[in-house]
């Protein structure tokens, strides 16, 4: 910006007014970048055209003559006055900062100075800035910031363009990662909303739909405190043996596994490269809590790179890791009181590994097992259910697990109830269920002694003890491993045992499974 202190103001001449009226503003084309950078280096007081992160360059022209230049790049990482002005939380700042941009260079070229040129240039830029940014970087912007050196300029052009002065910086500059150096030239901080009500939207619980992509792209971050991390490391050290020589342990196995677990909790999903990037984002205090060693000849603690993850990941004791994580989870959260056990299979897209996992109704992890090569989810789910406490809980699973053996395991071995999906090509089972249930709304309680008064309760044909459910003859059950379409049969809710205590289903032998659990249909 070339408006100097105490410069006398004069109105534009007719020729200058003609320039302002016909001034054109556009992004700099790729083949013009070298020219732009050279002009900035030669004529801007900072003598540098270096831009940080996402960026755009603009030029103001009149009859194809370059009149003024401006550059925008990523916003300052931490700026107390700006963050207070927006009103967002620390986590919102971290994940939404890309919606803020910094006007890092502003220059009127020699011989092109005229009154109101900068404010006209700024107005035209702001009008198109968000759409241009979205075209280049796949997301819009909401707020603009800039710094003005008060020893050289007053910020008059920004004030005339609708910017607001917030105060000044604390006078620190970043000299290296995690290292800042004090200087004696604090800058004025100016901000301007690019869209209406930008600050209100930036600190709202949920962003507008076209802004959410910024949060989705934000890098995962470890928020764990050193004490919590040390607790996890101790559990892992107790459960997972160290298989490497002590003198080679730049990254002890317990700390290494704790780092991977924390990365998973933070949303890292794609493998060694993302794990290495996550590790590099940890603070020195966090790396110290993991037990990692210092880099030779320095006081800085090193973090593992991509090659370390590639080398060690295949050698991890998965069972020991699972035990340690479950024990640590229980220490942090306390015992699970939820009455649901939900079993589901997922394929890890980037690792080409299929897992079956169990969680409770609150989403708390209960364990996982890989599906063996050449097999499917069914045996893996049964093995997993054998390890998870099922007593007095209801297990839920999708249609592939609608199997007699799985239901019997939950009911007789685990002491729990179940809710399994039945689809249309389980023809015999669907027909059997239709004889037991009506399609009207179901109420689990009965009126008096006559359960038939409730719409949807088990009717007279249900007194037949040869039902197509776990506990009856396999031939009539219709249960198989085939995934099929669209009826839900649930066997669960221990409370129903109390509601139907006098029911003819509360018998031994083949009808015992139903007597304990009841049935409904949706």
């Amino acid at each position: 910006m070339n408006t100097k202190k105490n410069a006398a103001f004069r109105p534009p001449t007719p020729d200058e007014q003609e320039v302002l009226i016909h001034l054109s503003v556009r992004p700099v084309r790729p083949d013009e970048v070298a020219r732009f950078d050279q002009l900035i280096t030669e004529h801007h007081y900072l003598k540098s055209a270096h831009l940080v992160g996402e960026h755009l360059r603009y030029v103001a022209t009149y009859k194809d003559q370059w009149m003024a230049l401006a550059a925008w790049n990523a916003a300052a990482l931490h700026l107390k006055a700006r963050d207070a002005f927006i009103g967002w939380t620390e986590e919102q700042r971290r994940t939404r900062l890309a919606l803020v941009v910094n006007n890092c260079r502003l220059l009127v070229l020699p011989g092109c100075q005229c009154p109101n040129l900068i404010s006209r240039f700024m107005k035209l830029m702001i009008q198109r800035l968000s759409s241009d940014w979205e075209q280049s970087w796949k997301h819009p912007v909401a707020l603009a910031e800039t710094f003005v050196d008060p020893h050289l300029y007053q910020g008059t052009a920004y004030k005339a363009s609708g910017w607001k002065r917030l105060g000044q910086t604390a006078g620190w500059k970043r000299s290296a990662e995690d290292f800042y150096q004090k200087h004696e030239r604090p800058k004025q901080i100016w901000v301007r909303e690019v869209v209406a009500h930008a600050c209100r939207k930036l600190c709202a619980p949920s962003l507008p739909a076209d802004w959410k992509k910024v949060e989705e792209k934000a890098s995962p971050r470890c928020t764990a405190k050193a004490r919590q991390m040390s607790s996890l490391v101790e559990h892992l050290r107790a459960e997972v043996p160290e298989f490497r020589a002590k003198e080679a342990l730049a990254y002890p196995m317990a700390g290494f596994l704790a780092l991977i677990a924390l990365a998973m909790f933070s949303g890292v999903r794609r493998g060694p490269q993302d794990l290495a990037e996550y590790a590099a984002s940890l603070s020195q205090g966090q790396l110290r809590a993991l037990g990692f060693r210092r880099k030779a000849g320095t006081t800085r603690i090193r973090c593992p790179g991509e090659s370390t993850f590639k080398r060690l990941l295949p050698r991890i004791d998965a069972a020991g890791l699972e035990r340690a994580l479950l024990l640590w989870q229980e220490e942090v959260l306390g015992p699970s009181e939820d009455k649901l056990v939900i079993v589901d299979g997922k394929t890890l897209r980037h690792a080409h590994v299929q897992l079956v996992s169990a969680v409770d109704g609150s989403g708390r992890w209960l364990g996982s097992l890989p599906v063996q090569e050449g097999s499917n989810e069914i045996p893996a789910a049964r093995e997993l259910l054998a390890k998870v406490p099922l007593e007095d809980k209801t297990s839920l699973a999708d249609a592939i697990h609608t199997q007699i053996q799985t239901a019997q395991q939950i009911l007789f071995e685990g002491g729990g109830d179940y809710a399994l999906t039945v689809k249309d090509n389980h023809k015999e089972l669907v027909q059997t269920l239709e004889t037991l249930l009506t399609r009207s709304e179901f109420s689990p309680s009965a009126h008096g002694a006559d359960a038939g008064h409730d719409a949807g309760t088990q009717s007279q044909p249900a007194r037949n003890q040869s039902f197509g459910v776990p506990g009856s003859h396999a031939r009539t059950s219709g249960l198989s491993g085939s995934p099929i379409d669209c009826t839900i049969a649930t066997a669960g809710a221990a409370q129903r045992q109390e509601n139907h205590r006098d029911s003819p289903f509360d018998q031994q032998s083949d009808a015992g499974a139903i007597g304990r659990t009841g049935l409904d249909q949706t």
Side-chain angles (χ1 to χ4, degrees):
M1 183 175 60
N2 289 30
T3 305
K4 297 195 173 181
K5 270 189 175 182
N6 303 320
F9 173 77
R10 65 173 179 82
T13 66
D15 287 343
E16 290 171 338
Q17 190 64 40
E18 182 73 11
V19 171
L20 297 177
I21 292 172
H22 295 96
L23 193 71
S24 176
V25 173
R26 61 172 175 81
V28 170
R29 295 189 297 267
D31 62 320
E32 299 172 326
V33 169
R35 178 186 176 189
F36 178 99
D37 289 352
Q38 183 179 356
L39 290 170
I40 290 289
T41 304
E42 289 177 0
H43 302 294
H44 195 276
Y45 79 96
L46 292 175
K47 303 301 180 185
S48 171
H50 178 66
L51 304 180
V52 179
E54 298 176 345
H55 58 270
L56 278 180
R57 297 172 174 89
Y58 281 94
V59 59
T61 64
Y62 172 69
K63 294 183 177 179
D64 294 329
Q65 178 187 354
W66 284 26
M67 305 290 292
L69 308 176
W72 303 76
N73 65 195
L77 189 60
H78 296 281
L79 199 57
K80 188 177 295 185
R82 176 205 63 197
D83 296 337
F85 176 73
I86 295 172
W88 54 13
T89 66
E90 174 63 20
E91 182 61 14
Q92 287 175 333
R93 180 204 61 78
R94 189 187 74 82
T95 58
R96 301 176 180 184
L97 188 60
L99 292 165
V100 181
V101 291
N102 185 287
N103 178 212
C104 57
R105 300 290 186 272
L106 185 60
L107 173 69
V108 176
L109 293 173
C112 299
Q113 289 89 349
C114 75
N116 302 335
L117 178 64
I118 292 182
S119 56
R120 178 66 175 169
F121 182 24
M122 183 64 67
K123 177 183 178 180
L124 296 175
M125 270 196 301
I126 292 292
Q127 286 175 349
R128 61 178 299 163
L129 179 61
S130 186
S131 59
D132 287 341
W133 205 275
E134 184 159 24
Q135 184 173 354
S136 296
W137 300 104
K138 311 306 179 187
H139 68 83
V141 293
L143 187 82
E145 68 182 26
T146 194
F147 304 113
V148 173
D149 188 337
H151 294 83
L152 300 174
Y153 305 107
Q154 294 177 306
T156 306
Y158 288 105
K159 183 176 181 180
S161 301
W163 293 62
K164 179 181 179 63
R165 180 179 169 181
L166 300 182
Q168 63 182 30
T169 63
W172 292 85
K173 67 177 180 178
R174 188 169 184 170
S175 298
E177 185 179 1
D178 292 336
F179 182 72
Y180 293 82
Q181 184 178 0
K182 187 76 172 177
H183 62 78
E184 301 303 324
R185 294 180 73 100
K187 306 292 193 301
Q188 294 176 355
I189 303 169
W190 293 79
V191 298
R192 188 188 194 282
E193 292 185 329
V194 177
V195 299
H197 311 299
C199 291
R200 185 195 308 170
K201 295 174 182 178
L202 285 170
C203 64
S206 180
L207 288 175
D210 58 336
W211 294 8
K212 286 185 177 179
K213 62 188 78 172
V214 169
E215 281 187 318
E216 294 167 358
K217 290 172 59 178
S219 299
R221 174 174 172 264
C222 179
T223 58
K225 304 298 183 185
R227 181 179 56 80
Q228 297 171 314
M229 297 170 73
S230 298
S231 170
L232 175 56
V233 169
E234 290 304 315
H235 279 291
L236 287 162
R237 187 176 291 124
E239 296 292 336
V240 183
E242 181 61 75
F243 56 84
R244 297 166 296 163
K246 186 174 182 180
E247 57 273 13
L249 298 184
Y251 313 109
M253 181 56 67
F256 182 76
L257 294 177
L259 170 58
I260 295 173
L262 291 168
M264 298 298 106
F265 301 154
S266 300
V268 176
R269 296 288 184 268
R270 293 200 248 182
Q273 182 178 350
D274 280 6
L275 287 169
E277 292 176 1
Y278 179 82
S281 73
L282 298 184
S283 69
Q284 288 289 289
Q286 290 172 323
L287 293 172
R288 188 178 299 109
L290 295 174
F292 294 166
R293 292 180 178 177
R294 293 178 182 175
K295 189 179 297 185
T298 73
T299 59
R300 295 187 62 78
I301 299 173
R302 58 197 297 190
C303 63
E306 184 176 354
S307 61
T308 304
F309 287 102
K310 287 181 177 179
R311 185 173 65 255
L312 294 183
L313 280 172
R315 305 172 67 184
I316 291 174
D317 176 7
L321 175 60
E322 181 185 67
R323 286 194 304 272
L325 291 177
L326 289 172
L327 288 170
W328 177 70
Q329 178 179 251
E330 186 166 342
E331 177 183 295
V332 173
L333 302 179
S336 173
E337 303 295 338
D338 196 271
K339 293 299 184 182
L340 291 180
V341 175
I342 305 167
V343 176
D344 193 19
K346 297 291 182 185
T347 299
L348 304 183
R349 182 174 53 188
H350 299 281
H352 306 292
V353 173
Q354 190 175 11
L355 291 178
V356 175
S357 298
V359 298
D360 67 14
S362 67
R364 179 168 170 172
W365 177 61
L366 303 176
S368 300
L369 276 176
V371 175
Q372 297 299 319
E373 188 174 353
S375 184
N376 58 43
E377 293 180 21
I378 298 170
R382 290 172 185 163
E383 185 179 351
L384 180 59
L385 287 168
K387 300 192 303 179
V388 175
L390 302 177
E391 188 172 1
D392 296 327
K393 297 183 179 182
T394 301
S395 298
L396 287 76
D398 57 21
I400 194 173
H401 301 291
T402 307
Q403 307 283 327
I404 289 178
Q405 185 176 339
T406 301
Q408 288 177 334
Q409 177 182 340
I410 296 168
L411 190 66
F412 299 125
E413 298 175 23
D417 301 316
Y418 58 83
L420 301 174
T421 303
V422 178
K423 294 189 175 180
D424 277 350
N425 61 349
H426 275 147
K427 294 181 180 179
E428 293 184 12
L429 180 56
V430 170
Q431 290 172 0
T432 301
L433 292 173
E434 287 177 344
T435 66
L436 298 176
L437 308 170
T438 70
R439 291 188 178 274
S440 56
E441 185 175 351
F442 178 75
S443 170
S445 60
H447 293 288
D450 185 2
H453 285 139
D454 266 46
T457 55
Q458 295 162 337
S459 56
Q460 187 65 27
R463 299 178 182 272
N464 187 336
Q465 294 185 11
S466 297
F467 300 125
V469 294
S472 66
H473 194 279
R475 182 182 61 82
T476 62
S477 73
L479 294 174
S480 74
S482 305
I484 38 190
D485 256 347
C486 170
T487 305
I488 302 284
T490 63
Q495 182 62 41
R496 295 185 190 173
Q497 181 181 6
E498 298 297 325
N499 293 337
H500 297 283
R501 186 176 298 278
D502 298 326
S503 166
F505 305 130
D506 198 9
Q507 303 175 22
Q508 297 180 358
S509 72
D510 290 348
I514 311 174
R516 188 168 185 279
T517 61
L519 288 170
D520 68 9
Q521 179 180 11
T522 59

